[in-house]
Amino acid sequence: MAKQHAGRVLTTLAHHIDEEWMREAYRRTRKSGATGVDGVTAAQYERHLDENLRGLLNRAKEGDPYRAPPVKRVYIPKAGGVGERPIGIPSFEDKVLQRAVAMVLEPVYEQEFYDCSYGFRPGRSAHQALHALREGLMEMHGGWVLEIDIKSFFDSVDHKRLREMLGQRVNDGVILRLIGKWLNAGVMEDGCVSYAETGTPQGGVISPLLANIYLHEVLDRWFESDVKPRLCGKAFMVRYADDGALVFENEGDARRVFAVIGRRFEKFGLALHPEKTRLVRFERPPRDGGGRPETFDLLGFTHLWAKSRKGNWVIMRKTASSRMSRAVASIKVWMGRNRHGELDIQHARLTAKMKGHYAYFGITGNAVSLWRFHYWVTLQWHKWLGRRGGRHFNWMMMNRILRRFPLPAPRIHHAV
């Protein structure tokens, strides 16, 4: 329907959401998450699944009887163990309904979104974004990179503006009414409910899609339709959710866009971080190696020029120092809390954490950073095992443990 009526406002979508659709939305909803304000678990909801889904569907389509419950706010330790980070937990039933609505809107907006957007989209990933960025830079022989960092993006989305954007493509009363209720549902903390006029639904399944719709209008469409036709040289953009980089062949183009992009975001209630949003000269170095360009970070990787084995300048990626420090600090905090646990349990958890790190950061050319992570994890394990008490714990004893419980070696997962 979206393909056949490109550019037209779609007014009848909710009729696609029936009982079969709700069962599929339930199947796609994660069952292991924490409970919301009603305390209902996925297992409890499943006991009378058909009845619950039927009742939820009827209330959602009737409009007034459905009340979006507030999101429960909890705090989890930040990576590294310093401070806490607030997160929102919707009720399980609300997650299912949000999933059902997202399943309707996603194929509609997939016809609208540009190829430069990679975050929270079917069949797209952060590693594809990294690959596209590298290939574009290599083809252009480098250029000027504008790093974008939006301050508290998910808390700053303007509700009125978002509704206007949705109305340009979707004008189904049931769908828009439900989204409006989620935007206004509020957050419950210590028994008190607070409401905000900005921000996407905290922890909501629908939030990533709404965020993409917002940034599609604020940044993607503006860059493709208004900015690029006015440029003197080539340019492209790569965006993953609220992280992005604009690449320019021409320095003058880059500086002109850098001068106006802040005002563009302010128009929609967003603000760019004044220190983290920066323009980087990233041109390919000359053959003599003089005047090495700057580096820049995106999606947890530092991008830099380096010589290949054949002696050519190529773009390499390594784990960003901030992400490496955060990963090691997280291991350190976990080991400190669990140093008295059984060795097999410690080994199993450390193995899972390390494999998770390799699964994301294991890209071509990043082996040195992966082995550095392996080295630091080994040091932390030795350090905390030595604090279990008793006799002195030396590296001879540690090596015997490592022979029994070897830590997983780094592995390259992505040829990007």
Side-chain angles (χ1 to χ4, degrees):
M1 185 190 301
K3 286 182 179 179
Q4 293 173 355
H5 305 287
R8 288 177 54 185
V9 178
L10 303 179
T11 58
T12 55
L13 292 172
H15 66 279
H16 292 286
I17 304 178
D18 53 18
E19 290 186 31
E20 183 180 355
W21 192 279
M22 294 297 291
R23 280 192 291 272
E24 176 62 17
Y26 167 81
R27 189 189 68 81
R28 297 187 187 186
T29 302
R30 189 164 66 95
K31 313 298 190 298
S32 59
T35 61
V37 294
D38 59 2
V40 177
T41 66
Q44 291 171 331
Y45 196 81
E46 190 176 12
R47 291 172 190 167
H48 305 284
L49 182 60
D50 290 341
E51 180 181 343
N52 288 332
L53 293 179
R54 191 178 304 114
L56 176 61
L57 177 61
N58 292 335
R59 284 183 284 123
K61 290 198 172 183
E62 288 176 9
D64 289 340
Y66 176 75
R67 295 286 186 269
V71 172
K72 182 172 72 174
R73 174 171 287 167
V74 298
Y75 293 86
I76 61 173
K78 288 185 177 179
V82 181
E84 294 183 317
R85 180 169 64 90
I87 62 171
I89 304 176
S91 67
F92 181 76
E93 185 174 66
D94 221 31
K95 293 178 184 177
V96 174
L97 187 54
Q98 288 190 29
R99 176 67 67 188
V101 172
M103 286 163 53
V104 171
L105 293 180
E106 187 176 81
V108 173
Y109 282 97
E110 277 299 307
Q111 312 306 317
E112 303 288 315
F113 292 156
Y114 294 116
D115 288 340
C116 62
S117 169
Y118 290 86
F120 307 115
R121 294 181 59 187
R124 290 177 163 243
S125 68
H127 295 100
Q128 290 177 335
L130 291 166
H131 178 73
L133 179 62
R134 183 182 186 276
E135 291 298 302
L137 279 165
M138 288 293 293
E139 181 180 346
M140 198 182 285
H141 305 304
W144 291 77
V145 178
L146 177 54
E147 290 184 75
I148 295 176
D149 188 279
I150 307 173
K151 295 173 62 176
S152 304
F153 168 69
F154 286 93
D155 295 328
S156 305
V157 171
D158 185 278
H159 291 176
K160 181 180 178 181
R161 289 279 195 177
L162 177 58
R163 290 189 180 96
E164 292 173 353
M165 294 174 186
L166 288 166
Q168 294 173 9
R169 192 68 169 109
V170 175
N171 194 25
D172 183 290
V174 173
I175 300 294
L176 296 182
R177 185 167 57 246
L178 288 173
I179 292 175
K181 290 184 177 184
W182 289 321
L183 293 174
N184 298 323
V187 176
M188 178 176 287
E189 184 176 5
D190 297 329
C192 298
V193 180
S194 59
Y195 301 91
E197 296 181 359
T198 60
T200 58
Q202 288 199 14
V205 175
I206 198 77
S207 287
L209 177 58
L210 296 180
N212 266 337
I213 293 171
Y214 203 77
L215 282 177
H216 172 73
E217 294 295 332
V218 175
L219 180 59
D220 302 358
R221 189 188 297 277
W222 173 72
F223 183 73
E224 294 292 336
S225 302
D226 296 344
V227 173
K228 286 176 70 173
R230 293 177 169 86
L231 300 180
C232 298
K234 297 178 181 179
F236 70 93
M237 180 179 70
V238 171
R239 180 177 67 80
Y240 188 91
D242 58 332
D243 289 327
L246 279 62
V247 181
F248 303 88
E249 180 183 40
N250 183 284
E251 179 184 357
D253 290 339
R255 295 197 179 278
R256 285 195 296 273
V257 174
F258 188 31
V260 302
I261 194 170
R263 294 196 295 272
R264 172 67 181 181
F265 277 83
E266 289 174 3
K267 180 180 177 182
F268 293 89
L270 303 176
L272 294 175
H273 197 290
E275 297 176 358
K276 296 180 180 179
T277 299
R278 64 192 188 109
L279 188 60
V280 177
R281 181 183 180 182
F282 197 72
E283 296 173 322
R284 186 173 65 182
R287 292 188 179 276
D288 60 10
R292 293 180 68 89
E294 300 179 63
T295 64
F296 70 93
D297 292 352
L298 185 68
L299 297 177
F301 291 90
T302 296
H303 297 68
L304 68 156
W305 285 99
K307 286 286 188 71
S308 69
R309 293 180 179 178
K310 296 182 179 180
N312 300 318
W313 285 108
V314 295
I315 296 172
M316 303 291 288
R317 284 77 50 87
K318 66 178 183 179
T319 307
S321 59
S322 60
R323 293 295 290 271
M324 177 70 80
S325 299
R326 192 191 312 173
V328 173
S330 178
I331 294 288
K332 178 181 178 180
V333 170
W334 185 87
M335 281 302 313
R337 293 172 178 169
N338 298 273
R339 63 183 180 274
H340 295 296
E342 297 292 334
L343 284 179
D344 57 341
I345 296 176
Q346 288 189 27
H347 175 256
R349 291 296 303 275
L350 283 176
T351 297
K353 290 175 181 292
M354 295 176 74
K355 286 184 176 180
H357 183 89
Y358 301 153
Y360 182 76
F361 290 101
I363 68 172
T364 303
N366 196 34
V368 172
S369 293
L370 297 182
W371 277 110
R372 185 176 293 122
F373 176 72
H374 184 279
Y375 168 77
W376 282 112
V377 172
T378 305
L379 281 185
Q380 289 298 324
W381 202 15
H382 171 260
K383 168 187 172 181
W384 288 105
L385 288 178
R387 295 189 178 185
R388 286 157 65 108
R391 59 178 179 170
H392 178 66
F393 185 75
N394 57 35
W395 273 102
M396 184 179 296
M397 300 166 66
M398 183 67 195
N399 286 330
R400 285 201 296 266
I401 290 176
L402 289 173
R403 283 193 291 270
R404 286 180 57 202
F405 302 103
L407 294 176
R411 177 186 170 193
I412 300 300
H413 290 262
H414 309 280
V416 296

